[in-house]
Amino acid sequence: MIRKFIRSVFKKSSRQDGSPRVFRLKSHGITADHLTPCALKVATTLQQAGFKAFVVGGAVRDLLLGREPKDFDVATDAEPEEVRNLFRRSRIIGRRFRIVHVMCGAETIEVSTFRAAAADNSEEGRHTDDSGRVLRDNVFGPQVEDAKRRDFTINALYYDPVSQEIWDYHDGVADLKAGVMRVIGDPARRYREDPVRMLRAVRLAAKLGLKLDDAAKKPIRELAPLLGQVPAARLFDEMIKLLFSGHAVQSVLQLRREGLHHGLLPMLDVILEQPLGERFIMLALEKTDQRIEEDKPVSPAFLFAALLWHEVLAAWQQIQDGGEKPAPALHLAMDQILSAQQEKLAIPHRYDAVMKEIWTMQPRFWQRGGQRPFRLLEHPRFRAAFDFLMMRCESGEVEAEVGRWWEAFQDAGESERGRMLIKDEAAPKKRRRRKPKAAAAAVAAPD
Ligand code: ATP
Ligand code: MG
């Protein structure tokens, strides 16, 4: 009883000056060997050189939740050049935040210098735009301020691998236990400083199974349009994290509930409002989540091809209605949709080729006579295009029979395949006139 009283008094007094609550190993059980050797090396080397160094943010949070951290970030009072000088394989990167990447083997640890809390806009090194968005932020400061400028209480946790203590500046440990996500400071102001925090709120809540507290949720709807001011490349990075978090379905549903989906992708704007498009996109997201769960590789190009498909379909139809033939109309539609996306979300061009291949292969699934199905089967991108077709069937966009035919065709032996060939409805007239039997025989005969 007395101890409890003393603790509560101590708790209050210790928090007033902003000092952290310190959790020792006994209370959290996270030993230094929970870190990767690289993270451990970076933190201990910095400490041996006389600096403070902690593993910070998502990794500490994930370890406390019993999850395997995706990566390790280190925070220190050493300035970027001082960090750079301690590690042979390291380099300074970033403009908005100057940080150091330290490489060991295949691993990279991000080392950032403690930053001063956002204060006055005129301060040297920090610039904001008219809506309060921080454009550059390179003012270094004490650890307590570094904690204050982090986004959520559960992300302002610092783990010292030498003392094996967790320093908790904003009651993040208690919030984690209670399963809530709270913004540090005034949520509306923090979202104005950096609108991406709204996306992070939704993504992390979905990924970690936490509840976003009401204060954090409330301003989102009104401030959502601020996302329009975030550079497209940064939005793209954040969307990639969200779509490949293993919780894409939950995240996208939540984005929609919070009114955050506008302007991110046309999929979220328009397509979620049409039942066929929504079904198709949800299937694509479900399959992505499932593959991540099973540790299978996922392809951004495939997912983006799916997300944009109903846009491409609509444009394709429109161009054909204008009198264009199907094949050139599809190419025009693809280019139109891809360039519109470039502006909004900056889907890098490196994905274009694969997306286009998946799309242009779709009409070829209807050509099931002569040599064509065999040629399609040999296409290096057949598997992706076929999976795509199956999602179209499953969503009800096209007849399931086509998908079943291709499934059977892949499993069939050579002579069975020959028997399966059907008169090619989409084929040019010249081919159609050919006798089906002759075509089948020609295919069945080995070269
Ligand atoms: P993930 O599991 O996706 O890596 P994370 O929280 O670790 O989640 P990172 O982008 O790796 O996300 O960021 C590391 C830490 O940096 C965060 O935990 C948080 O403390 C801080 N941080 C990241 N982005 C922001 C932001 N936009 N505003 C404030 N703090 C941020
Ligand atoms: Mg992280």
Side-chain angles (χ1 to χ4, degrees):
M1 193 64 185
I2 290 179
R3 235 202 275 154
K4 212 171 175 185
F5 172 70
I6 294 176
R7 228 190 291 149
S8 78
V9 170
F10 173 73
K11 185 164 115 185
K12 275 187 196 126
S13 64
S14 77
R15 307 310 302 284
Q16 261 158 15
D17 62 355
S19 60
R21 202 186 301 286
V22 175
F23 292 90
R24 299 197 200 291
L25 178 61
K26 231 177 26 211
S27 69
H28 58 70
I30 298 170
T31 51
D33 54 20
H34 282 76
L35 310 187
T36 56
C38 192
L40 187 57
K41 187 185 116 185
V42 170
T44 49
T45 307
L46 280 161
Q47 289 201 19
Q48 280 157 9
F51 297 108
K52 285 183 171 180
F54 295 81
V55 169
V56 68
V60 187
R61 174 198 74 206
D62 292 350
L63 286 171
L64 280 171
L65 288 171
R67 292 162 166 263
E68 196 185 325
K70 204 173 59 175
D71 44 38
F72 287 88
D73 301 314
V74 168
T76 178
D77 58 356
E79 296 209 357
E81 287 74 16
E82 294 173 314
V83 179
R84 167 78 193 86
N85 289 337
L86 281 174
F87 302 96
R88 201 170 47 81
R89 290 186 61 212
S90 66
R91 60 164 188 263
I92 297 178
I93 61 149
R95 209 171 79 90
R96 189 167 175 276
F97 299 114
R98 281 171 67 230
I99 58 173
V100 186
H101 274 176
V102 179
M103 280 80 70
C104 345
E107 206 184 339
T108 299
I109 302 293
E110 254 181 46
V111 184
S112 51
T113 306
F114 294 146
R115 279 185 171 74
D120 164 10
N121 288 353
S122 61
E123 213 175 313
E124 200 194 327
R126 180 180 291 116
H127 302 269
T128 60
D129 66 9
D130 293 343
S131 57
R133 188 165 65 96
V134 177
L135 301 176
R136 226 178 304 152
D137 185 8
N138 278 314
V139 184
F140 303 129
Q143 187 172 358
V144 60
E145 291 198 11
D146 186 79
K148 211 188 256 174
R149 55 162 290 286
R150 291 184 181 271
D151 44 8
F152 304 100
T153 63
I154 58 166
N155 282 346
L157 299 171
Y158 297 73
Y159 175 70
D160 177 339
V162 177
S163 67
Q164 303 185 107
E165 287 170 351
I166 290 174
W167 292 21
D168 175 7
Y169 284 85
H170 296 278
D171 287 336
V173 172
D175 284 345
L176 263 188
K177 279 204 183 119
V180 292
M181 266 180 76
R182 282 190 301 126
V183 174
I184 296 170
D186 171 45
R189 189 175 145 238
R190 303 303 311 280
Y191 294 153
R192 278 205 186 88
E193 283 171 3
D194 180 6
V196 167
R197 286 175 187 147
M198 296 187 276
L199 290 179
R200 286 176 54 83
V202 167
R203 169 171 70 84
L204 291 173
K207 167 173 142 172
L208 304 169
L210 302 177
K211 186 180 167 309
L212 204 53
D213 90 327
D214 288 342
K217 213 188 249 184
K218 217 166 123 227
I220 292 184
R221 193 165 294 277
E222 190 191 326
L223 298 180
L226 292 180
L227 277 176
Q229 297 168 19
V230 176
R234 184 148 181 251
L235 273 189
F236 179 78
D237 288 348
E238 196 53 39
M239 282 307 284
I240 285 277
K241 281 194 192 175
L242 188 146
L243 295 171
F244 296 103
S245 64
H247 302 271
V249 169
Q250 277 313 312
S251 301
V252 167
L253 290 177
Q254 189 69 20
L255 282 182
R256 189 153 54 143
R257 274 198 291 272
E258 306 300 341
L260 268 176
H261 57 294
H262 292 288
L264 281 179
L265 274 177
M267 65 140 178
L268 297 169
D269 258 359
V270 186
I271 295 167
L272 286 178
E273 273 130 47
Q274 6 166 321
L276 269 186
E278 160 157 22
R279 182 75 202 113
F280 184 69
I281 281 174
M282 284 302 159
L283 269 175
L285 297 175
E286 271 165 32
K287 292 203 188 311
T288 307
D289 286 348
Q290 202 178 328
R291 288 184 69 88
I292 291 172
E293 170 81 30
E294 291 164 2
D295 261 336
K296 290 187 184 155
V298 283
S299 142
F302 181 85
L303 183 57
F304 283 118
L307 297 181
L308 299 178
W309 174 240
H310 278 255
E311 287 282 294
V312 172
L313 272 182
W316 187 17
Q317 189 56 54
Q318 203 182 21
I319 295 169
Q320 286 184 87
D321 291 347
E324 191 56 272
K325 290 202 184 81
L330 177 55
H331 282 275
L332 289 169
M334 293 189 309
D335 288 339
Q336 183 183 316
I337 298 306
L338 284 175
S339 67
Q341 271 320 295
Q342 274 304 310
E343 282 159 32
K344 277 197 190 170
L345 201 75
I347 296 178
H349 280 306
R350 65 174 181 281
Y351 298 127
D352 287 2
V354 177
M355 290 164 73
K356 284 183 173 179
E357 270 180 323
I358 291 172
W359 290 335
T360 47
M361 282 166 80
Q362 295 307 309
R364 295 175 62 187
F365 285 110
W366 272 257
Q367 303 173 349
R368 289 176 284 169
Q371 288 288 351
R372 295 192 194 192
F374 294 90
R375 280 206 296 271
L376 194 55
L377 216 48
E378 276 164 24
H379 194 290
R381 213 64 76 183
F382 174 81
R383 189 73 223 172
F386 169 71
D387 287 347
F388 198 90
L389 171 74
M390 292 308 272
M391 291 197 314
R392 296 176 66 200
C393 295
E394 217 177 316
S395 69
E397 183 217 327
V398 293
E399 58 275 38
E401 180 271 326
V402 183
R404 278 198 298 269
W405 189 92
W406 278 97
E407 224 166 13
F409 189 70
Q410 289 173 75
D411 291 342
E414 216 164 301
S415 58
E416 175 62 19
R417 281 181 178 175
R419 278 195 296 277
M420 283 181 73
L421 294 174
I422 49 182
K423 202 170 142 192
D424 188 354
E425 287 163 36
K429 283 212 172 71
K430 219 171 36 184
R431 246 166 216 270
R432 260 203 228 167
R433 262 190 259 119
R434 232 200 245 168
K435 278 185 202 152
K437 245 189 187 165
V443 166
D447 290 6

